[in-house]
């Protein structure tokens, strides 16, 4: 059983094993050497002056019955308290976080006030030209006057200045749709889809998304077939494609499929044709023989979703011809095989 022992110098208590019984050990706190008591040893008593009996082996932890128990001395602990360096680092971190919060608040306040001031300025000059110069050569109007009503906007769509045409189309895009004048307004916007300037063309496309209907499908098809370039041309193609899909007009399938030639628009083109359904499969067939193997892959993937039995001969021909391709034959072959299996699995 464990043997209790107490250092006579510093009072540190120990519980030692039986193997330490009767041995001398060194205190880990004060480095004092003392004797471990043996509870089974018989203490030797001597007669002290005055007739009392005292125990010789005090180091073994035995006391007289009349001896008053005194509290053990407290054990000294090393490393007590918090280092001043910790308090300093904590204070620096708290100060840094406070500064960050203050700066974030200032930035938010300044940004909000700047945005509010910009909105107020835009509202103030919306119906007024920023600069007014006399008509004639060199007359420039950076911010044309906004139309006051729909009649003025329709008339301004025919203006010779591109900025005024763009301003009128933008105004129509923001104006609520008037059902009785919807067809008239949509027809007036169609010529701007062929404008040589990108600004009026994009503004007209945005307005036509709101005012147009199936009567405008031929104009949208002509826009896609013109293949406009630049960032504005990309936006016009995307908006026209989305509008044609929303109208569910299969006449636009061939024009939409032209976008397979744009590497970054192939997935959008495939999804648009899939939304039109099986009536669009015939428009996909020519792209099974395209020189770009990426186009052939997208065509096969499209037919996997919308193809019917009429597409099987073209798909088998594409699959058989993959070994003669220079690149991507495995992707084309896998896509064609998956399309054939999907069509055969349909009822």
């Amino acid at each position: 059983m464990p043997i209790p022992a107490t250092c006579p110098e510093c009072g540190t208590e120990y519980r030692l094993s039986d193997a330490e019984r009767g041995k001398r050990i060194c205190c880990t706190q004060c480095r004092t050497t003392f004797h471990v008591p043996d509870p089974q040893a018989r203490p030797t008593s001597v007669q002290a002056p005055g007739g009392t009996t005292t125990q010789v082996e005090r180091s073994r932890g035995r006391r007289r019955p009349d001896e008053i128990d005194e509290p053990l001395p407290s054990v000294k602990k090393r490393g007590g308290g918090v280092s001043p360096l910790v308090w300093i680092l904590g204070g620096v971190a708290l100060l840094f976080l406070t500064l960050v919060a203050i700066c974030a608040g200032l930035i938010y306040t300044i940004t909000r006030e700047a945005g509010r001031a910009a909105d107020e300025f835009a509202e103030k000059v919306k119906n007024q030209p920023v600069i007014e110069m006399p008509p004639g050569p060199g007359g420039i109007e950076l911010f044309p006057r906004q139309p006051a009503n729909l009649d003025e906007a329709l008339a301004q769509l025919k203006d010779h200045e591109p900025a005024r045409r763009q301003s009128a189309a933008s105004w129509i895009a923001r104006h609520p749709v008037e059902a009785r004048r919807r067809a008239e307004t949509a027809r007036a916007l169609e010529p701007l889809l062929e404008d040589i300037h990108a600004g009026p063309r994009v503004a007209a496309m945005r307005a036509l998304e709101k005012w147009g209907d199936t009567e405008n499908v031929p104009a949208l098809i002509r826009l896609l077939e013109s293949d406009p370039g630049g960032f504005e041309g990309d936006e016009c193609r995307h908006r026209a494609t989305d509008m044609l899909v929303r109208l569910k007009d299969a006449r636009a399938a061939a024009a939409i499929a032209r976008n397979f030639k744009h590497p970054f628009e192939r997935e959008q083109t495939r999804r648009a044709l899939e939304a039109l359904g099986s009536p669009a499969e015939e428009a996909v067939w020519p792209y099974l023989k395209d020189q770009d193997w990426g186009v052939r892959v997208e065509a096969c993937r499209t037919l996997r979703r919308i193809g019917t039995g009429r597409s099987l001969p073209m798909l088998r021909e594409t699959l058989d011809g993959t070994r003669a391709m220079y690149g991507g034959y495995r992707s084309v072959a896998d896509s064609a095989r998956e399309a054939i299996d999907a069509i055969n699995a349909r009822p």
Side-chain angles (χ1 to χ4, degrees):
M1 57 180 298
I3 301 174
T6 304
C7 176
E9 182 67 25
C10 65
T12 304
E13 294 184 348
Y14 297 89
R15 296 184 67 84
L16 306 173
S17 63
D18 290 340
E20 304 292 338
R21 178 183 304 157
K23 296 182 180 180
R24 297 185 65 83
I25 64 172
C26 182
C27 179
T28 59
Q29 299 295 328
C30 62
R31 313 304 297 178
T32 300
T33 303
F34 63 95
H35 192 273
V36 179
D38 187 358
Q40 298 179 357
R42 197 169 186 180
T44 303
S45 301
V46 298
Q47 190 73 19
T52 59
T53 301
T54 180
Q55 296 179 354
V56 176
E57 299 185 10
R58 287 292 188 123
S59 62
R60 299 182 182 179
R62 299 177 181 272
R63 298 181 181 179
R64 299 192 307 272
D66 58 345
E67 188 177 14
I68 300 175
D69 291 336
E70 297 181 357
L72 295 173
S74 59
V75 179
K76 298 180 180 180
K77 297 183 179 179
R78 298 181 180 178
V82 180
S83 174
L85 181 61
V86 176
W87 290 104
I88 294 174
L89 294 177
V92 172
L94 181 61
L95 178 61
F96 176 75
L97 293 177
T98 303
L99 291 176
V100 170
I102 293 174
C103 293
L106 289 175
I107 293 174
Y108 171 75
T109 303
I110 294 172
T111 305
R112 184 182 61 181
E113 293 300 327
R116 184 179 302 173
D119 293 340
E120 292 177 357
F121 178 77
E123 187 67 22
K124 182 179 179 180
V125 303
K126 183 172 64 174
N127 295 322
Q128 297 180 1
V130 176
I131 59 174
E132 295 183 0
M133 300 182 67
I140 302 175
E141 198 174 26
L142 295 181
F143 294 92
R145 184 181 300 275
Q146 296 289 311
N149 49 55
L150 185 57
D151 291 327
E152 187 174 339
L154 294 178
Q156 193 169 322
L157 289 175
K158 303 176 182 179
D159 197 283
H160 66 282
E161 287 291 338
R164 294 181 181 177
R165 296 197 298 271
Q166 180 179 351
S167 177
S170 299
W171 186 90
I172 293 173
R174 296 191 304 268
H175 189 69
V177 177
E178 298 181 14
R180 61 187 182 84
R181 306 193 65 179
R182 182 168 191 162
E184 175 190 1
T185 304
R187 285 196 303 270
L189 289 168
E190 285 186 357
L192 269 68
L193 297 181
E194 302 176 6
D195 201 298
I196 60 174
H197 297 91
R201 188 166 61 245
V202 174
M205 188 63 241
R206 293 175 180 174
L208 201 60
E209 281 184 308
K210 188 175 181 179
W211 290 77
D213 54 17
T214 54
E215 297 296 328
N216 306 112
V217 170
L220 295 174
I221 293 176
R222 288 195 299 271
L223 172 64
L224 293 178
E225 291 175 347
S226 67
D227 198 17
F231 292 106
E232 295 83 1
D234 294 342
E235 181 178 355
C236 287
R237 283 199 309 275
H238 295 165
R239 291 181 179 275
T241 300
D242 294 341
M243 184 175 176
L244 290 169
V245 170
R246 187 173 66 252
L247 294 175
K248 292 289 185 180
D249 198 314
R251 293 177 294 174
I256 294 175
R258 290 171 58 90
N259 293 333
F260 275 138
K261 303 297 292 183
H262 297 276
F264 298 105
E265 299 180 15
R266 289 171 183 170
E267 183 177 357
Q268 180 191 15
T269 302
R270 173 170 55 83
R271 293 182 179 181
L273 293 171
E274 290 175 357
L276 293 179
S278 57
E281 68 172 333
E282 190 173 349
V284 183
W285 294 344
Y287 298 95
L288 292 173
K289 300 180 181 180
D290 195 89
Q291 294 181 355
D292 189 339
W293 66 270
V295 174
R296 295 195 296 272
V297 168
E298 292 298 331
C300 292
R301 291 176 178 175
T302 304
L303 292 175
R304 183 182 61 183
R305 298 293 299 274
I306 65 173
T308 63
R310 298 191 303 157
S311 300
L312 289 176
M314 280 70 71
L315 288 170
R316 293 193 180 98
E317 183 180 353
T318 301
L319 179 60
D320 294 337
T322 53
R323 298 188 180 277
M325 297 178 186
Y326 290 102
Y329 71 91
R330 180 173 299 178
S331 298
V332 177
D334 292 342
S335 300
R337 190 178 296 107
E338 291 173 0
I340 293 172
D341 294 341
I343 293 175
N344 289 328
R346 294 192 188 108

